[in-house]
Amino acid sequence: METRLADFIRDTPHGREADAILRACVHCGFCTATCPTYQLLGDELDGPRGRIYQIKQVLEGLQPDRSTRMHLDRCLTCRSCETTCPSGVRYSRLLDIGRAVVAEKLPRPLHQRLLRWSLRKILTVPGLFAPMLSLGQMTRGLQPAFLREKVPPRQKAPPIPAPSHSRKVILAEGCVQPAYKPATNASLARILHRAGIDAIRAPGERCCGAVSFHLDAEAEALDLMRANIDAWWPHIEAGAEAIISSASGCGVMIKDYARALEHDPQYVERAATVSGLCLDAVEFLSRVTLAPVEEDSRLTVAFQSPCTLQHGQQLAGRVEALLSAAGHTVVPVPDSHMCCGSAGTYSILQKSLSMRLRDRKISCLMEGNPDAIATANIGCQLHLESAARVPVRHWVELLDDGAGANPDGVESR
């Protein structure tokens, strides 16, 4: 693609990066076949190819308008188009750059800015979010349906074993998961303990930065990343062998710290170390010996592979393999590459599209008549369970339920 970027961005780091991405695109259109919003709306401007063209126009000097912003806002950033693209176009990174330029050149109305600010401040501060959620759970029966579906009943976490092993990993807990679904990280810690590994929780850990980054607050996101690096660094220096995330949305962000902080001389090297150490739970657990699930705990499971797992981290099929090896029956899911519609705060900011994608996803997941739906990301889990007819659980809980003792707890693969 030929480009003529405007003076305001041409010779900047973002401009050079965007120019290289644009030039890689051949406008073949293969991406539209796997784009959820294009499939729903049938509008070229609501597919990757159309959005790339709109971003190109803005970077070449065209003043964005409300239509430009609307079409960019409608993108789920699911990155399915990147998996499909034969030219390797880094669409999500171009979208980040384009959205930032549009936000600067076309300030949002006050009500939109207030909503996005509220989401950033509430969701990313556990000390604020947890008590608000607790209050919501206590008054859940009095709430209207559209609020009640965002407030699942309180979940009790299983106990976490006390540290007792020489091998250590850092557990990236996330900002909303410990309050919404405390059993997830507890189950992961128990699985690791049976394998002879302690899961360390780092005081001072903050939100991974994804929420702020995708809500027009890149500087705030970078500060959160720096705070996490500072919180994890003493444990890394003490020999922690990995940073493990059970939320694929957090994992894909942490793995991007090296790129996000590449121009920060104080953090660039440590950011690269952190990104290199970050593993999704399925990557790490694939390396250790896991006990099979006892027969009476085995289920027929439909796995919803989050976009951040299969497209962002390119780990498609890995969870299904672990669940099958443990004794569960994993049924095929039609259109498994398509987004469920959660996409971070998308289910709040683009509610109508989000609900349509959710209902379509649940219909596909239920085709195999599963006993349960499993997923790998807290946002997907909450989104799906608001309408699913069977339990929706994180896959690590299914490995923890009914698991016998690990006989050796050593690496086998």
Coordinates of all heavy atoms in Angstrom, one line a residue, residues 278-343:
C278 N 6.9 -13.9 31.2 CA 5.4 -14.1 31.3 C 5.0 -15.2 30.4 O 5.3 -15.4 29.3 CB 4.7 -12.8 30.8 SG 2.9 -12.9 31.0
L279 N 4.2 -16.1 31.1 CA 3.6 -17.3 30.4 C 2.1 -17.4 30.8 O 1.7 -17.1 32.0 CB 4.3 -18.6 30.8 CG 5.8 -18.7 30.5 CD1 6.3 -20.0 31.2 CD2 6.0 -18.8 29.0
D280 N 1.3 -17.7 29.8 CA -0.1 -18.1 30.2 C 0.0 -19.4 31.0 O 0.9 -20.2 30.9 CB -0.9 -18.3 28.9 CG -2.4 -18.5 29.3 OD1 -3.1 -17.5 29.4 OD2 -2.8 -19.6 29.4
A281 N -1.0 -19.5 31.8 CA -1.1 -20.7 32.7 C -1.0 -22.0 31.8 O -0.3 -23.0 32.3 CB -2.4 -20.8 33.5
V282 N -1.5 -22.0 30.6 CA -1.5 -23.3 29.8 C 0.0 -23.5 29.3 O 0.4 -24.7 29.2 CB -2.5 -23.2 28.6 CG1 -2.0 -22.2 27.6 CG2 -2.6 -24.6 28.0
E283 N 0.7 -22.5 29.1 CA 2.1 -22.7 28.7 C 2.9 -23.3 29.8 O 3.7 -24.2 29.5 CB 2.7 -21.4 28.3 CG 2.2 -20.7 27.0 CD 2.8 -19.4 26.7 OE1 2.4 -18.4 27.3 OE2 3.7 -19.3 25.9
F284 N 2.7 -22.8 31.0 CA 3.5 -23.4 32.1 C 3.1 -24.8 32.5 O 3.9 -25.7 32.7 CB 3.5 -22.4 33.3 CG 4.5 -22.8 34.3 CD1 5.8 -22.3 34.3 CD2 4.2 -23.6 35.4 CE1 6.8 -22.6 35.2 CE2 5.1 -23.9 36.4 CZ 6.4 -23.4 36.3
L285 N 1.8 -24.9 32.6 CA 1.3 -26.2 33.1 C 1.5 -27.3 32.0 O 1.5 -28.5 32.4 CB -0.2 -26.2 33.4 CG -0.6 -25.3 34.6 CD1 -2.1 -25.3 34.9 CD2 0.2 -25.7 35.8
S286 N 1.7 -27.0 30.8 CA 2.1 -28.0 29.8 C 3.5 -28.6 30.0 O 3.8 -29.6 29.4 CB 2.0 -27.3 28.4 OG 0.7 -27.0 28.0
R287 N 4.2 -27.9 30.9 CA 5.6 -28.4 31.1 C 5.7 -29.2 32.4 O 6.8 -29.8 32.7 CB 6.5 -27.2 31.3 CG 6.6 -26.2 30.2 CD 7.4 -25.0 30.5 NE 7.4 -24.0 29.4 CZ 8.1 -22.8 29.5 NH1 8.8 -22.5 30.6 NH2 8.1 -22.0 28.5
V288 N 4.7 -29.4 33.1 CA 4.8 -30.1 34.4 C 3.9 -31.4 34.3 O 2.9 -31.4 33.5 CB 4.4 -29.3 35.6 CG1 5.3 -28.0 35.7 CG2 2.9 -28.9 35.6
T289 N 4.1 -32.3 35.2 CA 3.3 -33.5 35.3 C 2.0 -33.2 36.1 O 2.1 -32.7 37.2 CB 4.1 -34.6 36.0 OG1 5.3 -34.9 35.3 CG2 3.2 -35.9 36.1
L290 N 0.9 -33.4 35.5 CA -0.4 -33.1 36.1 C -1.1 -34.4 36.4 O -1.1 -35.3 35.5 CB -1.2 -32.2 35.2 CG -0.6 -30.8 34.9 CD1 -1.5 -30.1 33.9 CD2 -0.4 -30.0 36.1
A291 N -1.8 -34.5 37.5 CA -2.5 -35.7 37.8 C -3.8 -35.7 37.0 O -4.4 -34.6 36.8 CB -2.9 -35.7 39.3
P292 N -4.3 -36.9 36.6 CA -5.6 -36.9 35.9 C -6.7 -36.6 36.9 O -6.6 -36.8 38.1 CB -5.7 -38.4 35.4 CG -4.8 -39.1 36.3 CD -3.7 -38.2 36.7
V293 N -7.8 -36.1 36.4 CA -9.0 -35.9 37.2 C -9.7 -37.2 37.5 O -9.8 -38.1 36.6 CB -10.0 -34.9 36.4 CG1 -11.2 -34.7 37.2 CG2 -9.3 -33.6 36.2
E294 N -10.1 -37.4 38.7 CA -10.8 -38.6 39.1 C -12.1 -38.8 38.3 O -12.7 -37.8 37.8 CB -11.2 -38.5 40.6 CG -9.9 -38.5 41.5 CD -10.2 -38.4 42.9 OE1 -11.4 -38.2 43.3 OE2 -9.3 -38.4 43.8
E295 N -12.4 -40.0 38.0 CA -13.5 -40.3 37.1 C -14.8 -39.7 37.3 O -15.5 -39.2 36.4 CB -13.7 -41.9 37.0 CG -14.5 -42.3 35.8 CD -14.4 -43.8 35.5 OE1 -13.5 -44.5 36.2 OE2 -15.2 -44.3 34.7
D296 N -15.2 -39.6 38.6 CA -16.5 -39.0 38.9 C -16.5 -37.4 38.8 O -17.5 -36.8 38.9 CB -17.0 -39.4 40.3 CG -16.0 -39.0 41.4 OD1 -15.0 -38.4 41.1 OD2 -16.4 -39.2 42.6
S297 N -15.3 -36.8 38.5 CA -15.3 -35.4 38.3 C -15.1 -35.0 36.8 O -15.0 -33.9 36.5 CB -14.1 -34.8 39.1 OG -14.3 -34.9 40.5
R298 N -15.1 -36.0 35.9 CA -14.8 -35.8 34.5 C -16.1 -35.3 33.8 O -17.2 -35.8 34.1 CB -14.3 -37.0 33.8 CG -13.0 -37.4 34.3 CD -12.4 -38.7 33.7 NE -11.2 -39.1 34.4 CZ -10.5 -40.2 34.1 NH1 -11.0 -41.1 33.2 NH2 -9.4 -40.5 34.7
L299 N -16.0 -34.3 33.0 CA -17.1 -33.6 32.3 C -17.0 -33.6 30.8 O -15.9 -33.8 30.3 CB -17.2 -32.2 32.8 CG -17.3 -31.9 34.3 CD1 -17.2 -30.4 34.6 CD2 -18.7 -32.5 34.8
T300 N -18.1 -33.4 30.2 CA -18.1 -33.0 28.8 C -18.0 -31.5 28.7 O -18.9 -30.8 29.2 CB -19.3 -33.6 28.0 OG1 -19.4 -35.0 28.1 CG2 -19.3 -33.1 26.6
V301 N -16.9 -31.0 28.1 CA -16.6 -29.6 28.1 C -16.6 -29.0 26.7 O -16.0 -29.5 25.8 CB -15.3 -29.4 28.8 CG1 -14.9 -27.9 28.9 CG2 -15.3 -30.0 30.2
A302 N -17.2 -27.8 26.6 CA -17.0 -27.0 25.4 C -16.0 -25.8 25.8 O -16.3 -25.1 26.8 CB -18.3 -26.4 24.9
F303 N -14.9 -25.7 25.1 CA -13.9 -24.7 25.5 C -14.1 -23.5 24.6 O -14.0 -23.6 23.4 CB -12.5 -25.2 25.4 CG -11.5 -24.2 25.8 CD1 -11.4 -23.7 27.1 CD2 -10.6 -23.7 24.8 CE1 -10.5 -22.7 27.4 CE2 -9.7 -22.7 25.2 CZ -9.6 -22.2 26.5
Q304 N -14.3 -22.3 25.2 CA -14.4 -21.1 24.5 C -13.0 -20.5 24.6 O -12.5 -20.1 25.6 CB -15.4 -20.1 25.2 CG -15.5 -18.8 24.4 CD -14.6 -17.7 25.0 OE1 -14.2 -17.7 26.2 NE2 -14.3 -16.7 24.2
S305 N -12.3 -20.5 23.4 CA -10.9 -20.0 23.4 C -10.9 -18.5 23.3 O -11.3 -17.9 22.2 CB -10.2 -20.6 22.2 OG -8.8 -20.3 22.2
P306 N -10.5 -17.7 24.3 CA -10.5 -16.2 24.2 C -9.6 -15.8 23.1 O -8.6 -16.4 22.8 CB -10.0 -15.8 25.6 CG -10.3 -16.9 26.5 CD -10.1 -18.2 25.6
C307 N -10.0 -14.6 22.5 CA -9.2 -14.1 21.4 C -7.8 -13.8 21.9 O -6.8 -13.9 21.1 CB -9.9 -12.8 20.9 SG -11.6 -13.1 20.3
T308 N -7.7 -13.3 23.1 CA -6.4 -13.0 23.7 C -5.5 -14.2 23.8 O -4.3 -14.1 23.8 CB -6.5 -12.3 25.0 OG1 -7.4 -13.0 25.8 CG2 -6.9 -10.9 24.8
L309 N -6.1 -15.4 23.9 CA -5.3 -16.7 23.9 C -5.0 -17.2 22.6 O -3.8 -17.4 22.2 CB -6.1 -17.7 24.7 CG -5.4 -19.0 25.0 CD1 -4.4 -18.8 26.1 CD2 -6.4 -20.1 25.3
Q310 N -6.0 -17.3 21.7 CA -5.7 -17.9 20.4 C -5.2 -17.0 19.3 O -4.4 -17.4 18.5 CB -7.0 -18.6 19.9 CG -8.2 -17.7 19.6 CD -9.3 -18.4 18.9 OE1 -9.1 -19.2 17.9 NE2 -10.6 -18.2 19.3
H311 N -5.6 -15.7 19.4 CA -5.0 -14.8 18.4 C -3.9 -13.9 18.9 O -2.9 -13.7 18.3 CB -6.2 -13.9 17.8 CG -7.3 -14.6 17.3 ND1 -7.2 -15.6 16.3 CD2 -8.7 -14.6 17.5 CE1 -8.4 -16.1 16.0 NE2 -9.3 -15.5 16.7
G312 N -4.1 -13.4 20.2 CA -3.1 -12.6 20.8 C -1.8 -13.3 21.1 O -0.7 -12.8 20.9
Q313 N -2.0 -14.5 21.8 CA -0.8 -15.3 22.2 C -0.5 -16.5 21.3 O 0.4 -17.2 21.5 CB -1.0 -15.7 23.6 CG -1.2 -14.6 24.6 CD -1.2 -15.1 26.1 OE1 -0.2 -15.6 26.5 NE2 -2.2 -14.8 26.8
Q314 N -1.4 -16.7 20.3 CA -1.2 -17.8 19.4 C -1.1 -19.2 20.1 O -0.2 -20.0 19.8 CB 0.0 -17.6 18.5 CG -0.2 -16.4 17.6 CD -1.2 -16.6 16.5 OE1 -1.1 -17.6 15.7 NE2 -2.2 -15.7 16.4
L315 N -2.0 -19.4 21.1 CA -2.0 -20.6 21.8 C -3.3 -21.5 21.6 O -3.7 -22.2 22.5 CB -1.9 -20.3 23.3 CG -0.6 -19.6 23.8 CD1 -0.6 -19.2 25.2 CD2 0.6 -20.6 23.5
A316 N -3.8 -21.4 20.4 CA -5.0 -22.2 20.1 C -4.7 -23.7 20.2 O -3.7 -24.2 19.9 CB -5.4 -21.9 18.7
G317 N -5.7 -24.4 20.8 CA -5.6 -25.8 21.0 C -4.9 -26.3 22.2 O -5.0 -27.5 22.5
R318 N -4.2 -25.5 22.9 CA -3.3 -25.9 24.0 C -4.2 -26.3 25.2 O -3.9 -27.3 25.9 CB -2.3 -24.9 24.4 CG -1.4 -24.5 23.2 CD -0.3 -25.5 23.1 NE 0.7 -25.4 24.2 CZ 1.7 -24.6 24.3 NH1 1.9 -23.7 23.3 NH2 2.5 -24.6 25.3
V319 N -5.2 -25.5 25.6 CA -6.0 -25.8 26.7 C -6.8 -27.1 26.5 O -6.9 -28.0 27.4 CB -6.9 -24.6 27.1 CG1 -8.0 -25.1 28.1 CG2 -6.1 -23.4 27.5
E320 N -7.4 -27.2 25.3 CA -8.2 -28.4 24.9 C -7.3 -29.7 25.1 O -7.8 -30.7 25.6 CB -8.7 -28.3 23.5 CG -9.6 -27.2 23.2 CD -9.0 -25.9 22.7 OE1 -7.8 -25.6 23.2 OE2 -9.5 -25.2 21.9
A321 N -6.1 -29.6 24.8 CA -5.2 -30.8 24.9 C -5.0 -31.1 26.4 O -5.0 -32.3 26.7 CB -3.8 -30.5 24.2
L322 N -4.8 -30.1 27.2 CA -4.6 -30.4 28.7 C -5.9 -31.0 29.3 O -5.8 -31.9 30.1 CB -4.2 -29.1 29.4 CG -2.7 -28.8 29.4 CD1 -2.5 -27.6 30.4 CD2 -1.8 -29.9 29.8
L323 N -7.0 -30.4 28.9 CA -8.3 -30.9 29.5 C -8.5 -32.3 29.1 O -9.0 -33.2 29.9 CB -9.4 -30.0 29.0 CG -9.5 -28.6 29.6 CD1 -10.6 -27.8 29.0 CD2 -9.8 -28.7 31.2
S324 N -8.2 -32.6 27.8 CA -8.4 -34.0 27.3 C -7.5 -35.0 28.0 O -7.8 -36.1 28.4 CB -8.2 -34.1 25.8 OG -9.2 -33.3 25.1
A325 N -6.2 -34.5 28.2 CA -5.2 -35.4 28.9 C -5.6 -35.7 30.3 O -5.3 -36.7 30.9 CB -3.8 -34.7 28.8
A326 N -6.3 -34.7 30.9 CA -6.7 -34.9 32.3 C -7.9 -35.8 32.5 O -8.3 -36.3 33.6 CB -7.0 -33.6 32.9
G327 N -8.6 -36.1 31.4 CA -9.7 -37.0 31.4 C -11.1 -36.4 31.0 O -12.1 -37.2 30.9
H328 N -11.1 -35.1 30.8 CA -12.4 -34.5 30.4 C -12.6 -34.8 28.9 O -11.7 -35.0 28.1 CB -12.4 -33.0 30.6 CG -12.3 -32.6 32.0 ND1 -13.3 -32.9 32.9 CD2 -11.3 -32.0 32.8 CE1 -13.0 -32.4 34.1 NE2 -11.8 -31.9 34.0
T329 N -13.9 -34.8 28.5 CA -14.2 -34.9 27.0 C -14.5 -33.5 26.5 O -15.4 -32.8 26.9 CB -15.5 -35.8 26.9 OG1 -15.2 -37.1 27.4 CG2 -15.9 -35.9 25.4
V330 N -13.6 -33.1 25.5 CA -13.7 -31.8 24.9 C -14.4 -31.9 23.6 O -13.9 -32.5 22.7 CB -12.3 -31.1 24.8 CG1 -12.5 -29.7 24.2 CG2 -11.6 -31.1 26.1
V331 N -15.6 -31.2 23.5 CA -16.4 -31.3 22.2 C -16.0 -30.2 21.3 O -15.6 -29.1 21.7 CB -17.9 -31.2 22.5 CG1 -18.3 -32.4 23.4 CG2 -18.2 -29.9 23.3
P332 N -16.1 -30.4 20.0 CA -15.7 -29.3 19.0 C -16.7 -28.2 19.1 O -17.9 -28.4 19.4 CB -15.8 -30.0 17.7 CG -16.6 -31.2 17.9 CD -16.4 -31.6 19.3
V333 N -16.3 -27.0 18.8 CA -17.1 -25.8 18.8 C -17.1 -25.1 17.5 O -16.0 -24.7 17.0 CB -16.6 -24.8 19.9 CG1 -17.4 -23.5 19.9 CG2 -16.6 -25.4 21.3
P334 N -18.2 -25.0 16.8 CA -18.2 -24.3 15.5 C -17.8 -22.9 15.6 O -18.0 -22.2 16.6 CB -19.7 -24.4 15.0 CG -20.3 -25.5 15.9 CD -19.5 -25.5 17.2
D335 N -17.1 -22.3 14.6 CA -16.7 -20.9 14.6 C -15.9 -20.6 15.8 O -16.1 -19.5 16.4 CB -17.9 -20.0 14.4 CG -18.5 -20.1 13.0 OD1 -17.8 -20.5 12.0 OD2 -19.7 -19.8 12.9
S336 N -15.0 -21.5 16.3 CA -14.3 -21.2 17.5 C -13.4 -20.0 17.5 O -12.9 -19.5 18.5 CB -13.5 -22.5 17.9 OG -12.6 -22.8 16.9
H337 N -13.1 -19.6 16.2 CA -12.2 -18.4 16.1 C -12.9 -17.1 16.4 O -12.2 -16.1 16.5 CB -11.6 -18.4 14.7 CG -12.7 -18.2 13.6 ND1 -13.5 -19.2 13.2 CD2 -13.1 -17.1 12.9 CE1 -14.3 -18.8 12.3 NE2 -14.1 -17.5 12.1
M338 N -14.2 -17.1 16.4 CA -15.0 -15.8 16.5 C -15.0 -15.4 18.0 O -15.2 -16.2 18.9 CB -16.4 -16.0 16.0 CG -16.4 -16.3 14.5 SD -15.8 -14.9 13.5 CE -17.3 -13.9 13.4
C339 N -15.0 -14.1 18.2 CA -15.0 -13.4 19.5 C -16.4 -13.6 20.2 O -17.5 -13.7 19.5 CB -14.7 -11.9 19.3 SG -14.6 -11.0 20.9
C340 N -16.4 -13.7 21.5 CA -17.6 -13.8 22.3 C -18.3 -12.5 22.5 O -19.4 -12.4 23.0 CB -17.4 -14.5 23.6 SG -16.5 -13.5 24.8
G341 N -17.6 -11.4 22.3 CA -18.2 -10.1 22.4 C -17.8 -9.4 23.7 O -18.2 -8.3 24.0
S342 N -17.0 -10.0 24.6 CA -16.7 -9.4 25.9 C -15.6 -8.3 25.6 O -15.9 -7.1 25.8 CB -16.1 -10.5 26.8 OG -15.6 -9.8 28.0
A343 N -14.4 -8.7 25.2 CA -13.4 -7.7 24.8 C -13.2 -6.6 25.8 O -13.3 -5.4 25.4 CB -13.8 -7.2 23.4

